[in-house]
Structure formats: C-alpha cells, structure tokens
Amino acid sequence: MSLPLEEREMAVVGCGPAGLCAAITAAKTGADVVVLDENDRAGGQLIKQIHRFFGSRRHGAGKRGYEIAGELERESEAAGVEMRLGNTVLGLFPGGEMMVEDRDGVYVLRARAVVVATGASEKGLAFPGWTLPGVMGAGAAQTLVNLHGVLPGRRVLMVGAGNVGLIVSYQLLQAGAEVVGILDVSERVGGYEVHRLRVQREGVPFYLGHRVVQARGRYGVEEVSVEEVGGASRKVFRADAVCLAVGLSPLAELAAMCGCRMVYSRELGGFMPWHDGDMRTDQPGVYVAGDAAGVEEASVAMEEGRMAGLSAAEDLGAMGRKEAERAKDEVRRFLWELRGGPYGEAKRRAKESVHCA
Amino acid sequence: MRVSGRKEGGETRVDPWSQAWERAAAGAVAVVDCGERIPCNPCEEACTRGAIEVGEDICAPPRFDPGLCDGCGRCVAMCPGMAVFLLDRSVGNGRARVTVPYEMGEEMRAGREVWAMDGEGKPLGKARVVGAKKRGGRAGTTLVTVEVDEGWALKVRGVRDRLITLEAPLEAEAEPLKEYPLCRCEEVSGPRVGEVAAEFASLRSLRRFSRVGLGYCQGRFCQDMLRERLARAREMEEGEVGTFRVRPPVRPVKLGKLGGEDA
Ligand SMILES: Cc1cc2nc3c(=O)[nH]c(=O)nc-3n(C[C@H](O)[C@H](O)[C@H](O)COP(=O)(O)OP(=O)(O)OC[C@H]3O[C@@H](n4cnc5c(N)ncnc54)[C@H](O)[C@@H]3O)c2cc1C
Ligand code: SF4
Ligand code: SF4
C-alpha cells in the first residue's frame, strides 16, 4: 500500500504570522507555495487575541490580534498562496517529504523547500492537584473565553506575571471573571509596565515571590494554597480555576525529526533547531521562523517569516542573490530595531548565541 | 518642548501628569504615561499633529509635546498599553475632566454615575460621566470622560460601574498533599520520579524507565518538567540534559487513516 504523493515547490507548516509572512514573501517572487495548518482558521495565536497588539505599526500594532490575522490571510490570497487549513503535518523527513493528515486520510507531500513555523507550546507546572478540572494553561483559558465564550471559572488565580499572564488576566476580567491574584515566583513582574499597570488599576493584587503549593477540591478546584518562596507564610485562596502562564517553549518537533540539530536557550524558551541569521537550519531546504525558532513576539515572527521566505525563494532560484540580499538587509534592520530595549536586547543576545552554537 | 516619558539613560523621568497640568488649563491634553523601553509605536502614528514622537528607535519611550496636542484622543484609543489619558482643567471651579480608555463590558454613557478608580484599583469616589465615545469602529475602545474634583485629577486611572471587593486569601495552613502525577497520560508519580532521577544519565533513559512522556500526548506536557527534574537531580544545565527523540506521527492519528479500509 502506498500513500498518495504530491510534489510542490515550497511548503510552509503553520499559518501563524511567521508562516503566513514566509508564504507571502516567497509567493511574491513567483514561487509555488502551499501553507498547511491543523487549525480550521488562519492566524495561529493571533485569532484568539482580542487585545490591541503592542509592536510596530508596520506589523499591525495598535490593531487587535484577529484583525491582523485577517489582513495577513487576505494578503496571502492576493499573493497566490494556497492555504490548506485542517491539514496536520504528522511527520517531516529528510528530502522535504512530509506526511499530512486531512479530513479524508493521510497523504505525502514533497517540497523542495520547507518552512517550519509551528509556533510554541505552553509549559506546564506539576503540583499536587494540578490534574483537577479547573487547572489549565493561560492559552487554553484564552481559547475558552475569546473563541468559545465560556468562562474557565468565576474566581481565577493566575500563575505567572509575564506579558501572557497579564494580558490573559485582563481578558478574563473583560469576560466577567474575578482574578483573585497574579502569582509569580520572581520578585518582579516580568511583563511590560504598561500591561502591569492596566491590570493593577482593575484592582488585581500581585503576589510576587510566591509559588503554588497545591490545589484542592472534590470535583474541581475549590481552593489553592500558595507560599512565600523561602518564607513560612502560607495563604489559601478560594478559587475555581488556576491559569498557568509559566512560559512557552518552541514547538519544533518536525525539524528535530528530520535531523535538524537542536540547541538550547533558556531565554528563548528551550530547545529549538539551530539556524543562522537567514533562518536556514543545518538541513538543506529546511527553514524555521517565529516562535518555533525561539519564543519572541508577533512582530519578530513576521520578520523572521519574511527572512525564511526570502532564503527559500533564493535557494529555489526564484530570486537572484543580489536582490535577495537587498531585501534581507531591510528585514535585518527591522529585526535589529525590534530587539532593542532591555527586553529585546536579552533576546538578541540569546539569538546570537543560537546562531553561533 | 519635548520631554521623554521616564528614566532613560540616567535622565530623570518627568511625570507626564505634571507635564500636562499647565497646558490642561486651556483644554484637553494627552497624558502619555509610558516610559519603559519596549518595542511599540502606535501612539506616534495615531497622532496626526505630530505631538507624539517615538522615532527611528522603536524602543524609545514616546516623547510628547503638549504644545502641539489638541486633545483629540486618537492616541488614547490606539495605545495597546492603555497608557494614554486626557486631562482637561478648562472647566474651572476647582473641577477637572479626565478621559480614560475603557474596554470592560458595561455600557458607559454621559450622565451615568460611576466610580473613579486610582492606579491601584482603589476607589477615589463617585464621579459623573460627561462623555463616552467609541473610537475605532466596531472593535473600538470607549473613551470615558469623568468630571472630578481637581484634587483627584492626577490620580484617576480608570472607571468602574460597580465596586468589587475581592475576598482576601486566608492566612491558613492547609494540610499538605504530597502525591501528584508528573505524567498525566501514564499516571507516573512526580515525587517518585524526583527520588530516582539522579540514577539516570540521560533524559531518554529516564523516559524509558519511568514511562513519563510515552503516553498519548507524547511528552508535550511533561517533557519540560521531566527535564527540569533531571537537571536538578544531577546538577546539570537543562540544555545539557537533551530532548526526547521525536518520532512520527507528532499528533495521534487513527490507524485506519494511515492504512485505509483494508489495512
Ligand atoms: C496571550 C498572548 C498575548 C500575546 N500578545 C502579543 C502582543 O501583544 N504583541 C506581540 O507582538 N506578540 C504577542 N504575543 C506573541 C505572538 O502571539 C506570537 O509570538 C506569535 O503568534 C508567534 O507566531 P508564529 O507564527 O511563530 O506561531 P503561531 O502563531 O503559534 O502559529 C503556529 C501555527 O502552527 C500550527 N501548527 C503547529 N504544529 C502543526 C502541525 N504539526 N501541523 C500543522 N500545523 C501546525 C498551529 O496550529 C498554529 O496555527 C502574544 C502571545 C500570547 C500567548
Ligand atoms: S490627543 Fe490627539 S493631538 Fe493630542 S497627542 Fe493624542 S492624538 Fe495627538
Ligand atoms: S502606544 Fe502606548 S504603550 Fe505603545 S509606546 Fe505609545 S504610549 Fe507606550
């Protein structure tokens, strides 16, 4: 028995901002591009973001996440990208061959260039009671609230005071939940000051230097105990949901599977495929972009996607070397600007050590 | 005069509220309360009068020139950090108007009485809404203007239709539980993994022995946690511990789909 085989010039896995920008950029040079995503909607993380994005105006900042997703989708259509939603890539093998599952079955797609733009996955936190109904990732809570209109709980304890924890807390308040507190093991809030202030002004208390000890309840979470790190004081919250926003790690299993060397960076969320500044991995014809290449932000994901699209177009011969270099210089300049400031500089240094690893 | 928001390279931060104070006597003016170096610039684009400048370096805190601002409020609606407000002292009589961005569900309209809140979420007192307009289409932000005593004008950061009192956590000792699974799919005990982890030289051998990560989710939830425990037990860096080997399929798939009807 053999699976149906399809040959294409270029395939992009992941319809988030990184994947869409890679596809648009390459398609504009005349390359034949197909984008696959297991979701039924294009946009990746963006479709559940109802807040206005920070970032640069060139990248849609100031608009709400789902609006940016819609714009990128229209742009891909205009550029002639073929979009295959509801298509899950199950495996990627050397030579650009992948196994894809759609509604009807499984087929094999072979492409001369493959961009892995599969985003990130939420980190977990195990403690007694973490398997009770009501304990969930902040991303899951966000999906419930913003896509399905369901509250994960009436009284929510948020664990993690990074941007994701802050933004999701605000969205839970918007949906009508109470956020009983935002907890972080660190002594300082990791997210941006503006996001901290807008949550704080809604009266949400912060418990810094605290960690979760356990969640208890009969059929679901009813109370959560927390303790001061290194201290004796223990507090018990009455809550029916605990949201974990303790970080994201790059999701790049497909790249690992096809032989890409994986490198580690704490700052960028964990293991990711080694790549150079042009988003090429050590496997010929395989590129990475976006959170899969180190967790950062949507604006960065878009520029990395453009970079990967340019490298792929260049390697496919759809674009001359000189022309590609010119376009890449512009992308490099934007990436440099986006990675400024104390938050960005740490990421920039981490990125540089990944390139050199 | 352009003054930058907050401390930048040793410069002392000018309080944006005091900066707006004088100019507010002549009518509404923006208060750009944003001083951290973050990659962000929609406020600059929002202002068609050039009163807000971020410039080439997108991480520079916005610099604001009250002299160029006409209080139109476009920047208030556009700022993703909800960090821009309007201050208006032209009403006189010891009163002032503060405009805040509002994105909660309640309908805000002129004439309504609401609570004016400070930056810590504490109520300053009741205030009357004198203006509420939605900016930026259907997905817009509502700009709510309240009139307050001039003494509060520098403190108002938000409005609320009703007060919510959060129940404080109990300072209590709950009986500690010990047992919990590290791997949900295979139901492997977390404390038990911690006890044996030091015996294993690699993540892959610990995985095979403990079965953490061999279940339905294929390690998507537990891999990071197992790595962290092994690194701690062996006093290694997480990067040195390595990763699981990834095998297809990366998502569970029905065998029938792979092989068809007669497979
Ligand atoms: C709560 C929250 C708030 C945020 N706010 C901001 C903000 O204000 N500003 C900002 O700049 N950034 C923000 N971000 C970050 C931003 O959303 C991400 O950095 C960005 O979406 C990353 O883009 P991406 O294309 O790399 O990945 P994603 O957007 O995650 O897209 C990856 C896509 O790949 C698909 N995929 C994965 N595996 C497979 C497979 N095997 N087969 C098929 N498809 C697959 C997924 O379904 C997904 O659609 C926020 C993130 C979160 C969680
Ligand atoms: S209120 Fe209007 S004029 Fe003043 S800074 Fe904002 S956008 Fe510019
Ligand atoms: S848009 Fe808001 S958060 Fe962004 S730089 Fe301007 S004032 Fe700061």
Side-chain angles (χ1 to χ4, degrees), chain B residues 10-26:
Chain B
E11 264 175 67
T12 334
R13 179 188 190 223
V14 177
D15 172 26
W17 289 85
S18 331
Q19 184 198 1
W21 189 256
E22 284 307 314
R23 163 64 185 75

Side-chain angles (χ1 to χ4, degrees), chain B residues 229-251:
Chain B
R229 280 172 178 68
L230 181 58
R232 203 183 325 138
R234 293 188 68 97
E235 294 177 11
M236 288 160 83
E237 291 292 326
E238 281 181 37
E240 297 173 302
V241 172
T243 62
F244 290 171
R245 181 174 293 128
V246 196
R247 288 195 181 83
V250 296
R251 298 281 187 285

Side-chain angles (χ1 to χ4, degrees), chain A residues 3-171:
Chain A
L3 297 166
L5 172 76
E6 185 186 343
E7 301 216 34
R8 298 297 290 258
E9 205 167 18
M10 174 169 167
V12 179
V13 192
C15 254
L20 287 176
C21 286
I24 294 166
T25 309
K28 279 188 179 160
T29 70
D32 151 53
V33 190
V34 53
V35 202
L36 307 134
D37 199 298
E38 58 185 333
N39 259 322
D40 294 327
R41 280 172 69 188
Q45 284 287 336
L46 299 183
I47 51 181
K48 54 184 188 184
Q49 310 297 350
I50 59 163
H51 63 286
R52 293 181 191 279
F53 266 48
F54 55 81
S56 79
R57 286 293 294 170
R58 174 180 144 89
H59 304 95
K63 281 181 233 155
R64 299 184 191 274
Y66 61 85
E67 297 176 314
I68 307 175
E71 279 172 20
L72 287 175
E73 192 176 357
R74 282 189 292 279
E75 222 186 299
S76 325
E77 273 160 21
V81 172
E82 186 196 337
M83 190 117 51
R84 274 192 207 163
L85 300 174
N87 279 245
T88 306
V89 179
L90 299 173
L92 174 64
F93 309 97
E97 215 166 79
M98 43 190 160
M99 185 162 83
V100 188
E101 180 194 13
D102 65 8
R103 228 185 29 197
D104 308 318
V106 173
Y107 62 95
V108 178
L109 184 84
R110 190 189 298 148
R112 283 163 57 206
V114 178
V115 180
V116 177
T118 41
S121 63
E122 291 193 278
K123 288 188 182 161
L125 189 67
F127 49 84
W130 79 288
T131 48
L132 281 172
V135 182
M136 68 189 83
Q142 205 184 23
T143 306
L144 280 180
V145 170
N146 296 345
L147 291 184
H148 305 298
V150 176
L151 272 186
R154 298 238 136 249
R155 299 169 48 81
V156 187
L157 181 70
M158 180 64 66
V159 182
N163 278 330
V164 172
L166 297 175
I167 291 172
V168 175
S169 293
Y170 196 84
Q171 293 177 353

